[in-house]
Every structure is written in C-alpha cells, then in structure tokens.
C-alpha cells in the first residue's frame, strides 16, 4: 500500500486510529499500574521484614538480660536456637528459619569480639564494622539490607545493643534474617498479578477489536440513514413531479366525460373513460399519500394550529360523504353528545384530512349498514367517535393497523382499493396536533375509531 493510500485509509477510518490508540493506551496504563503496585508491595514487605528483625532482636535481648556477662550462657542460648531450628526442619520439610546467623559480641577497645555464634569456629575473632559502632553508640537497633549478588538473595542484618536488667549496654547482638521465604511468596504474588495483567490486556485488545466492529456498524448505520434520506427526498421529488401530469390527465378525462355528448363519444368509449378516471383517481390518491408520508418523515407537515370550534368541521366532512353513503345504502349521521365545548387547538386542513380518512374508511369498509359520527366532550377532552357496522377486524389485525403500508388481506378486503398509508398518516397528524387515536373493533360486527384532543380552556378561548 502506498503512503498516500494509507493516508486516505486512515482519514476514512478514524475509528481504526482510535481503536489502535486505545489498544496501546489502556494496556500501557494497566502495565504501569501493576509495576507501581509491585514496587510498593516490595517496599512494604521490606519494611515489615525489617520490623520483624528488630522485634526478634529485642525479644532476645530481654531473654538474655540476666546472662549477658556469661559468654557460656550466651553460647548455650545461641546453640539452643540453632538446635530448635534444625529439629523443626526435621519435623517439617517446609520449615525454613528466617534467622540464618546469630552473633553476640563484646565491646573490646575499638573493636568488637565475637563471644557467641551459630558458627563456633569464628568465636574469639574481632570485628570493627561501622554498622556495629553506629548501633552501639546510638543505643538503638539498626537494620541494614545486604544483597548477595552470587545468588541474588537478600538479607536484613540487624545490629542491636544488648542491655542488662539495669539498662547498661553489655554486648552487641548481630542477627541476619533471610528474606528468601518472603521473597518466594512475593514473587508468586507478583507472577500471579502479571498473569492477570496479561489476561486483562488480551481481553481488552479483544474487546477493542470487537468495538472497532461496532464502529463499522455505526458507520454503516450512518450510511443507511443517508441513503434513507436520499430515498425520502427522491419519493418527495418524484411525487411532486407526478402530481402535475396526473392532475392534467384527470382534468381532461373529466372534461371528456362531461362533454361526451357534444364530442360524440360513444357509450363504449365512455365506459373506458370511466375506468381511466377511476385509475387516475387511484393514482392521484397514492401520490397524495406518498407526499404526505415524505412531508411527515421530513418534518415538513404544516401544522397551523389555533383554537377552532371542531363540531362544524366534523359535520361538514360527514356531509361530503352523504352521496357516497347513500350509493352504498349506508345511513350516515353526525350528532353531538354531551358537548359542552368543542374548541380545540387545531389545524383545520389537517383535521379535515384526518376525518376524510376515518369517515372514508368507515364507508369503504362497510358494505351496508350504519356509520355514526359523534362528537362529545368529557373532562378536559374532546372525543370524535366514528362507528361503523362494517367488516371489522380481529384483535391481531388491530395491533398492526397504524403501521405504514399495513392492509388487512382477506376475501372481504380483496376488492377494496387502498395503499395502507391512510391510518399511519392519520395517526401522525393527530399526534402532531397533541391528540391520540385508538380503535375498537370486532370481526364481522364493525369498528369504532376514537380521536381525542385536549379542549381549550374557556379563558384561553376568550383571548
Ligand atoms: P387503506 O384503506 O388505504 O388500505 P388505511 O391505512 O386507511 O389504508 O387502512 C389500513 C387498513 O385498515 C385497511 O386496509 C383496512 O383493512 C383496515 N381498516 C381501516 N379502517 C377500517 C374500518 N373502518 N373497518 C375495517 N377495516 C378498516
């Protein structure tokens, strides 16, 4: 891959860079944290080992406070300690005494003379170590870390002045404590924490890899949204362009039908013209529905709401359907019921659109019988009820009724023309005007559509 290609790839795939950065940063932070933890653990262990050494040397001092003047007694004590450790090691293989050297020295002019020790061969030897002098003069135990580079072991050497029961300094206790046991435990703990570290880093890298796939999905989602928007724009543009020629065609067909006699159109041709008229009207309403869908989806649906008396509008739309109802032998009525007020904040054109669809459907899906439109008010709401004695629907069909393009398909609806968009558009418009729509229906018995709007309060109406 050329450098320019890599640059383009990185530019188009920012999520890739982001994932890589995360893959480096997060594990590094965890590794650094584990290292800090191991360092502080080592320091704590060192500190507690040193405290332990000082504590042991003080307790030895207390036990020997009365025997300090007798080198034999002191050697006996040291021997007993060594014997005890050896016995313990025989009983328990895992037992390992931390104290690996125990020396007691007397002050001898400028130096110190060994008078009791684990290593009897060294008894009588003189030492003039700086650490001994400091501990002797400071009156306090001093601890020193010694690293044996040959085997990488380290020890704590505690030098502590031994005082008799009167508090006078009599001897110097030099004890060497091995850090081996604790070092092994520490290295096991650290190995475990490094293992956990490796697993966490692997888990994080895998998670981030999965995450970068999520990014891809997000990108895909964005692309789908863009395509969806393009589709909406296309439908909107195509419907607009289709509307004009369809209106022209419909206009000329109507003219031909109306002027059929003058134009000497035969009855056979008139029949064909009527079929063309029905199909053109169907095409026209499909275009209108598509335009409405794209207006709603793009948030362009006009809503010029203001307080209006709703009853006359409902009555007016109902009357528009009287002829159609009569043709189907349907009794169509519009009545008020417990109507105290019917002032609602609403867009008149939109409400008419809703009513045309609901009352139109009631007539469309009622072979014969009744369609009753009622307007009533209760509490602070206005209800418009459209009840028909038509084909009705099952509870399952009712669940999908307000979905886009949903049409009930059965022998009773086969011959009825429609797009399945009307109720979806109706619901969107009703909700746009702060209302709600619901349906109650029974197959074979009819349906009841209820539209509810909040009533405008009296004082608002006056203003
Ligand atoms: P269209 O009538 O164009 O098919 P709608 O969205 O207006 O689309 O209605 C969706 C479906 O709901 C219709 O196809 C019809 O099956 C059913 N429907 C609507 N109104 C009624 C009604 N009053 N009675 C029975 N079925 C109805």
């Amino acid at each position: 891959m050329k450098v320019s290609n890599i640059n383009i790839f990185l530019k188009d795939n920012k999520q890739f860079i982001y994932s890589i950065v995360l893959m480096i940063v997060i594990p590094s932070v965890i590794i650094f944290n584990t290292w800090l933890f191991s360092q502080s653990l080592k320091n704590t262990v060192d500190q507690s080992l040193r405290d332990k050494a000082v504590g042991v040397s003080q307790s030895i001092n207390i036990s020997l406070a009365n025997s300090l003047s007798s080198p034999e007694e002191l050697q006996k004590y040291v021997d007993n300690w060594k014997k005890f450790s050896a016995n313990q090691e025989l009983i328990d293989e895992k037992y390992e005494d931390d104290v690996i050297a125990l020396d007691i020295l007397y002050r001898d002019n400028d130096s110190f003379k060994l008078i009791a020790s684990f290593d009897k061969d060294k008894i009588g030897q003189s030492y003039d170590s700086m650490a001994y002098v400091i501990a002797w003069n400071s009156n306090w135990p001093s601890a020193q870390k010694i690293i044996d580079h040959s085997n990488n072991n380290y020890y704590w050497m505690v030098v502590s002045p031994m005082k008799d029961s009167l508090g006078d300094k009599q001897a110097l206790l030099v004890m060497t404590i091995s850090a081996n046991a604790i070092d092994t435990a520490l290295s096991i703990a650290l190995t475990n924490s490094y293992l956990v570290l490796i697993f966490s880093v692997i888990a994080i890298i895998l998670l981030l890899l999965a995450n970068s796939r999520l990014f891809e999905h997000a990108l895909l989602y964005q692309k789908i949204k863009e395509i969806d928007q393009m589709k909406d724009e296309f439908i909107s543009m195509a419907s607009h362009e289709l509307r004009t020629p369809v209106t022209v065609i419909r206009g000329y067909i109507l003219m031909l039908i109306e002027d059929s006699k003058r134009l000497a159109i035969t009855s056979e041709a008139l029949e064909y013209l009527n079929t063309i008229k029905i199909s053109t009207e169907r095409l026209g309403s499909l275009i209108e529905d598509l335009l409405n869908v794209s207006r709603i989806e793009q948030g362009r649906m006009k809503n010029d709401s203001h307080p209006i008396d709703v009853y006359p509008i409902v009555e007016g739309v109902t009357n528009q359907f009287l002829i159609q109802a009569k043709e189907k032998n349907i009794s169509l009525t519009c009545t008020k019921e417990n109507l105290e007020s019917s002032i609602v904040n609403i867009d008149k054109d939109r409400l008419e659109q809703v009513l045309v669809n609901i009352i139109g459907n009631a007539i469309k899906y009622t072979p014969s019988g009744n369609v009753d439109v009622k307007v009533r008010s209760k509490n602070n709401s206005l209800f418009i009820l459209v009840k028909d004695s038509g084909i009705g629907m099952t509870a399952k069909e009712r669940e999908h009724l307000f979905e886009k393009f949903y049409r009930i398909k059965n022998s009773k609806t086969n011959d009825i023309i429609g797009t399945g968009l009307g109720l979806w558009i109706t619901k969107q418009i009703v909700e746009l005007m702060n209302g709600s729509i619901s349906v109650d229906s029974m197959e074979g018995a009819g349906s009841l559509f209820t539209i509810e709007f909040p009533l405008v309060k009296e004082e608002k109406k006056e203003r």
Side-chain angles (χ1 to χ4, degrees):
M1 217 193 262
K2 275 198 248 160
V3 179
S4 60
N5 285 351
I6 295 174
N7 278 343
I8 293 167
F9 172 79
L10 292 180
K11 220 173 174 183
D12 289 347
N13 295 278
K14 291 208 177 79
Q15 82 285 356
F16 180 77
I17 306 168
Y18 181 64
S19 297
I20 295 285
V21 170
L22 281 185
M23 268 184 232
I24 296 168
V25 171
I26 299 181
S28 308
V29 169
I30 297 179
I31 290 168
F32 181 64
N33 186 44
T34 309
W35 179 79
L36 273 186
F37 160 75
S38 70
Q39 290 308 307
S40 88
L41 190 66
K42 270 185 186 155
N43 288 341
T44 315
V45 164
D46 259 7
Q47 188 63 38
S48 66
L49 198 64
R50 180 183 178 280
D51 292 348
K52 181 182 169 186
V54 171
V56 171
S57 74
Q58 279 173 338
S59 74
I60 293 175
N61 190 173
I62 292 164
S63 346
L64 294 177
N66 292 323
S67 341
L68 286 179
S69 53
S70 159
E72 294 77 25
E73 286 283 318
L74 294 176
Q75 183 60 45
K76 219 164 115 191
Y77 180 88
V78 171
D79 283 343
N80 279 342
W81 186 299
K82 203 174 172 188
K83 229 187 272 166
F84 172 78
S85 301
N87 273 344
Q88 278 304 110
E89 269 170 37
L90 281 178
I91 296 165
D92 179 1
E93 271 179 24
K94 283 186 197 145
Y95 179 86
E96 196 181 334
D97 193 8
D98 294 343
V99 179
I100 55 167
L102 193 63
D103 296 335
I104 298 172
L105 302 100
Y106 278 168
R107 183 77 164 139
D108 182 22
N109 298 323
D110 286 342
S111 59
F112 294 87
K113 192 173 167 191
L114 191 66
I115 47 117
S117 169
F118 277 180
D119 188 355
K120 279 186 185 158
D121 295 343
K122 290 199 283 182
I123 289 174
Q125 285 183 15
S126 283
Y127 298 89
D128 51 4
S129 153
M130 201 58 198
Y132 296 178
V133 177
I134 292 170
W136 184 264
N137 291 332
S138 72
N139 270 340
W140 278 107
S142 80
Q144 202 179 349
K145 193 175 177 180
I146 300 165
I147 298 169
D148 184 347
H149 292 288
S150 65
N151 54 12
N152 257 345
N153 285 344
Y154 77 96
Y155 313 92
W156 277 99
M157 187 182 79
V158 180
V159 186
S160 114
M162 298 178 87
K163 294 174 184 169
D164 60 19
S165 40
L166 297 171
D168 295 328
K169 260 183 291 182
Q170 296 294 343
L172 203 61
L173 176 77
V174 180
M175 190 172 60
T176 310
I177 288 190
S178 160
N180 263 359
I182 208 137
D183 216 26
T184 319
L186 188 68
S187 75
I188 289 171
L190 285 179
T191 313
N192 287 344
S193 70
Y194 284 130
L195 277 177
V196 171
L197 169 75
I198 291 167
F199 281 124
S200 344
V201 168
I202 292 172
I204 285 167
I205 290 176
L206 289 177
L207 268 175
L208 287 172
L209 284 176
N211 194 32
S212 69
R213 224 158 284 149
L214 275 183
F215 273 120
E216 275 169 30
H217 289 155
L219 221 67
L220 218 64
Y221 175 72
Q222 185 62 32
K223 276 198 182 125
I224 289 171
K225 254 175 77 175
E226 281 166 19
I227 292 169
D228 204 46
Q229 199 179 335
M230 274 165 64
K231 177 212 76 186
D232 285 349
E233 279 161 15
F234 172 75
I235 291 177
S236 164
M237 191 260 303
S239 320
H240 263 292
E241 294 303 314
L242 282 170
R243 195 155 66 160
T244 320
V246 168
T247 313
V248 174
I249 294 169
R250 201 168 52 181
Y252 276 101
I253 291 169
L254 286 176
M255 265 164 58
L256 284 175
I257 293 172
E258 274 168 22
D259 261 358
S260 57
K261 277 200 185 118
R262 192 176 62 81
L263 296 169
I265 293 173
T266 62
S267 60
E268 195 183 357
L270 197 63
E271 209 176 294
Y272 296 157
L273 281 174
N274 270 319
T275 312
I276 297 171
K277 183 190 141 211
I278 292 168
S279 289
T280 319
E281 272 165 0
R282 218 175 124 189
L283 192 61
S285 67
L286 172 65
I287 292 168
E288 263 327 299
D289 279 354
L290 286 176
L291 271 172
N292 280 322
V293 170
S294 67
R295 277 187 201 119
I296 291 167
E297 283 187 334
Q298 293 172 359
R300 291 187 293 106
M301 180 58 94
K302 271 195 200 142
N303 174 20
D304 182 18
S305 288
H306 51 270
I308 297 179
D309 191 357
V310 159
Y311 185 73
I313 300 172
V314 180
E315 202 175 30
V317 175
T318 311
N319 289 340
Q320 283 176 30
F321 284 97
L322 280 174
I323 298 170
Q324 207 178 319
K326 207 171 164 202
E327 277 171 7
K328 282 185 85 177
N329 216 1
I330 292 171
S331 120
L332 176 63
T333 60
C334 178
T335 46
K336 296 179 186 183
E337 220 184 59
N338 301 328
L339 192 65
E340 281 162 24
S341 159
S342 67
I343 308 288
V344 167
N345 212 2
I346 222 155
D347 180 317
K348 183 172 175 274
D349 293 344
R350 298 284 83 82
L351 178 66
E352 280 177 351
Q353 198 176 343
V354 165
L355 292 169
V356 164
N357 192 37
I358 298 297
I359 301 172
N361 271 355
I363 291 170
K364 198 156 85 167
Y365 296 101
T366 303
S368 67
N370 316 304
V371 172
D372 298 311
V373 183
K374 284 183 182 138
V375 182
R376 77 164 68 122
S377 62
K378 198 176 173 195
N379 300 331
N380 291 321
S381 293
L382 178 101
F383 297 91
I384 303 168
L385 302 110
V386 181
K387 190 176 176 210
D388 66 61
S389 60
I391 59 173
M393 66 196 80
T394 64
K396 208 164 182 329
E397 288 162 346
R398 219 165 54 212
E399 277 174 30
H400 303 281
L401 207 62
F402 295 100
E403 286 171 13
K404 220 192 277 177
F405 293 111
Y406 179 75
R407 300 206 70 216
I408 298 169
K409 286 185 189 110
N410 56 39
S411 58
K412 287 179 194 155
T413 59
N414 270 351
D415 295 334
I416 303 175
I417 293 160
T419 58
L421 288 170
L423 284 182
W424 182 84
I425 295 170
T426 300
K427 189 171 191 280
Q428 306 302 312
I429 296 176
V430 168
E431 286 172 0
L432 192 72
M433 296 190 294
N434 292 325
S436 64
I437 182 166
S438 60
V439 60
D440 204 359
S441 184
M442 221 171 136
E443 202 181 11
S447 312
L448 169 67
F449 283 80
T450 308
I451 301 170
E452 183 182 348
F453 287 113
L455 276 170
V456 172
K457 295 205 180 100
E458 289 303 311
E459 58 269 25
K460 269 192 187 167
K461 190 178 67 178
E462 279 161 17
R463 245 182 253 165

